[in-house]
Amino acid sequence: MDQNTNKKLSHEELTQKYSTWGDKLLQHTDVLHSMQVDKVIKPITIQLAPIEACDSDCPFCSVGARPIKSYMPFEAIKQTLVDFKKLGAKSVELTGGGNPLLYRDRKSGNKENFNDIVKLAHSLGYDIGIITNSHNISRWIDPEVYDMINWLRLSLIQLDEGKNPEDYNFNNFPTSKLAFSYIIYDGPTDDDGNSIPDALSRTNRVYTGTTPETIEKIAKLVNLHPGIKFVRLAGNCLEKGENARVRNKWKEVVDKVDELQKFFIKDIGYDDSPFDAGCYVGATRPYIAPNPHGGEGSYHVYTCTSHVLNTRTYDLNHSLCTIEDIIPTWTKMNKRFESKGYPYEVNGNKGKDWCDTCKFCYYKFNNKLLHTVAHEMPDKNFP
């Protein structure tokens, strides 16, 4: 609902409001000015995957082949957050990889956990967002850090794992900061149509896929917690054009149960390919995750969260640097940006022809906007 007009927003408008799809960049005129005038690109938000362990085994997991035993030592998290804050980062999103709430530094003498990451980020001045699939956040998040968290988005896959709406326990976490998300998907099947585990399943758990009853369960959960911000539905990101198919097939079902006007289907049409002329989100929205081959303390800064869709794990070809080299790497990227017009390249693409480099991209319009800012247009004073 638009607070100014009191009218229901469209799925496309809600996508712009609550997803990373371009428009929010216009709220960061300081970064855009720096990019255009000073030729310096500053990070706005960082995506941090502190642990790869997860209590679900989703058949649509974008990193199903990830190094499941990897986790980021707390001291490495601390240095990473300090370095990116020096570069100007404003927020951190604690995400996956795995389920970030499961984080514990097993070898540290202090045994730091997820709450310690939140306290650290807050002390450094970061806004903090969280993505998790835990149905019982009271088990993992201490109430003392609630005020430090800006938002928490809960993936509802556990409704497909035997949980019911009544099983969700938010332990008085403010619903004004809480949102839900759910991937609409078809479960894997064999040649005879029988449900089977995903090819990369760790548990051999069978997921049969989304049904109208699933959407009704989500609606019931919303009715139990009517103060939540939104419910974002999306298609299986491993399949090209899936968001458009989901919108066409499921919009009527969703609208029918959306009594509180909280639902939206991520509306990006068929735009899940890269912006061909340039990529900049690695400099404004970097993704910190492990080396795909595992190894203690081996963490990298990657270009984005979409790059994993090519192989369902992290790809060192998309690594900008290791976490030990963040500040010198941003210095090098900005020198390249000033001299050549692009901050980084992948597989020798000279910062262009990204459709040949990446099969998927969910940052097309972010990159398009940043490319327009970065390169002077003819007759620019006649907009």
Side-chain angles (χ1 to χ4, degrees):
M1 186 72 71
D2 188 302
Q3 295 178 347
N4 296 318
T5 65
N6 207 34
K7 293 182 179 180
K8 183 178 180 180
L9 296 174
S10 68
H11 289 233
E12 182 179 3
E13 290 169 323
L14 288 166
T15 299
Q16 286 285 5
K17 188 173 183 178
Y18 291 121
S19 296
T20 304
W21 198 237
D23 282 6
K24 283 186 180 179
L25 285 169
L26 298 174
Q27 301 285 303
H28 299 277
T29 54
D30 56 328
V31 174
L32 301 181
H33 181 273
S34 175
M35 185 176 184
Q36 185 174 76
V37 177
D38 303 325
K39 300 303 178 185
V40 172
I41 309 178
K42 299 178 180 180
I44 300 171
T45 185
I46 61 175
Q47 317 296 294
L48 179 64
I51 192 167
E52 300 304 296
C54 190
D55 36 13
S56 289
D57 193 16
C58 307
F60 48 79
C61 180
S62 61
V63 284
R66 69 191 183 280
I68 197 72
K69 294 182 179 180
S70 292
Y71 76 95
M72 195 171 181
F74 188 76
E75 284 302 312
I77 293 174
K78 181 177 181 180
Q79 190 59 55
T80 297
L81 292 177
V82 167
D83 286 351
F84 273 115
K85 177 55 70 171
K86 288 179 181 177
L87 292 171
K90 304 175 183 182
S91 67
V92 57
E93 185 176 304
L94 301 174
T95 183
N99 177 2
L101 269 59
L102 303 181
Y103 178 81
R104 180 176 293 275
D105 191 335
R106 297 185 292 271
K107 294 191 176 181
S108 165
N110 296 321
K111 302 294 183 183
E112 290 94 350
N113 62 24
F114 173 81
N115 296 286
D116 294 304
I117 300 177
V118 173
K119 293 173 185 177
L120 170 63
H122 178 73
S123 72
L124 293 171
Y126 281 95
D127 286 352
I128 301 166
I130 300 165
I131 296 179
T132 179
N133 61 341
S134 292
H135 75 283
N136 184 8
I137 66 172
S138 64
R139 182 180 177 185
W140 307 109
I141 305 180
D142 292 338
E144 65 175 322
V145 304
Y146 285 0
D147 289 343
M148 304 177 188
I149 298 169
N150 293 76
W151 56 262
L152 186 153
R153 196 175 82 214
L154 187 69
S155 172
L156 299 179
I157 186 61
Q158 292 190 349
L159 288 175
D160 292 340
E161 298 172 350
K163 300 300 180 185
N164 293 309
E166 295 83 1
D167 296 326
Y168 282 75
N169 179 5
F170 304 129
N171 196 31
N172 296 317
F173 185 85
T175 54
S176 61
K177 298 182 178 184
L178 184 64
F180 300 149
S181 64
Y182 180 81
I183 300 297
I184 294 178
Y185 67 102
D186 298 321
T189 58
D190 61 18
D191 293 339
D192 297 321
N194 300 310
S195 295
I196 58 173
D198 178 62
L200 295 178
S201 173
R202 307 181 313 275
T203 64
N204 285 322
R205 177 180 279 161
V206 172
Y207 291 80
T208 57
T210 306
T211 66
E213 289 72 28
T214 311
I215 305 301
E216 290 172 4
K217 282 185 179 181
I218 297 173
K220 184 174 182 179
L221 181 59
V222 171
N223 288 332
L224 290 172
H225 305 278
I228 67 156
K229 295 168 67 175
F230 61 85
V231 180
R232 192 202 74 177
L233 305 176
N236 183 348
C237 58
L238 299 174
E239 300 181 24
K240 295 287 290 181
E242 188 67 1
N243 276 293
R245 187 190 73 83
V246 162
R247 177 198 61 208
N248 295 336
K249 180 179 178 180
W250 289 91
K251 186 176 183 301
E252 185 176 342
V253 175
V254 171
D255 288 344
K256 185 177 179 180
V257 302
D258 188 17
E259 298 175 359
L260 298 178
Q261 299 185 354
K262 300 286 186 178
F263 286 73
F264 73 96
I265 299 174
K266 189 174 182 180
D267 194 348
I268 62 172
Y270 292 93
D271 291 317
D272 54 9
S273 293
F275 176 67
D276 197 49
C279 179
Y280 308 87
V281 293
T284 62
R285 196 177 189 270
Y287 182 33
I288 295 89
N291 185 307
H293 308 298
E296 276 191 32
S298 182
Y299 268 68
H300 288 252
V301 181
Y302 294 97
T303 53
C304 68
T305 54
S306 286
H307 88 272
V308 298
L309 298 172
N310 296 301
T311 60
R312 296 187 72 181
T313 190
Y314 312 109
D315 185 347
L316 293 177
N317 289 320
H318 288 260
S319 171
L320 299 173
C321 62
T322 63
I323 56 174
E324 290 79 17
D325 295 319
I326 291 168
I327 290 180
T329 295
W330 253 251
T331 299
K332 291 177 183 176
M333 284 199 300
N334 282 317
K335 286 182 178 179
R336 182 187 289 120
F337 175 57
E338 182 178 16
S339 62
K340 297 184 178 181
Y342 61 89
Y344 50 82
E345 60 182 346
V346 172
N347 294 334
N349 67 2
K350 306 298 183 184
K352 59 184 179 180
D353 299 327
W354 286 94
C355 289
D356 294 332
T357 304
C358 304
K359 179 181 179 181
F360 300 91
C361 182
Y362 286 91
Y363 305 106
K364 178 176 184 176
F365 289 101
N366 303 62
N367 283 322
K368 182 179 180 181
L369 188 154
L370 291 170
H371 187 77
T372 302
V373 170
H375 297 84
E376 187 164 316
M377 301 177 71
D379 301 324
K380 68 175 184 181
N381 291 329
F382 296 86

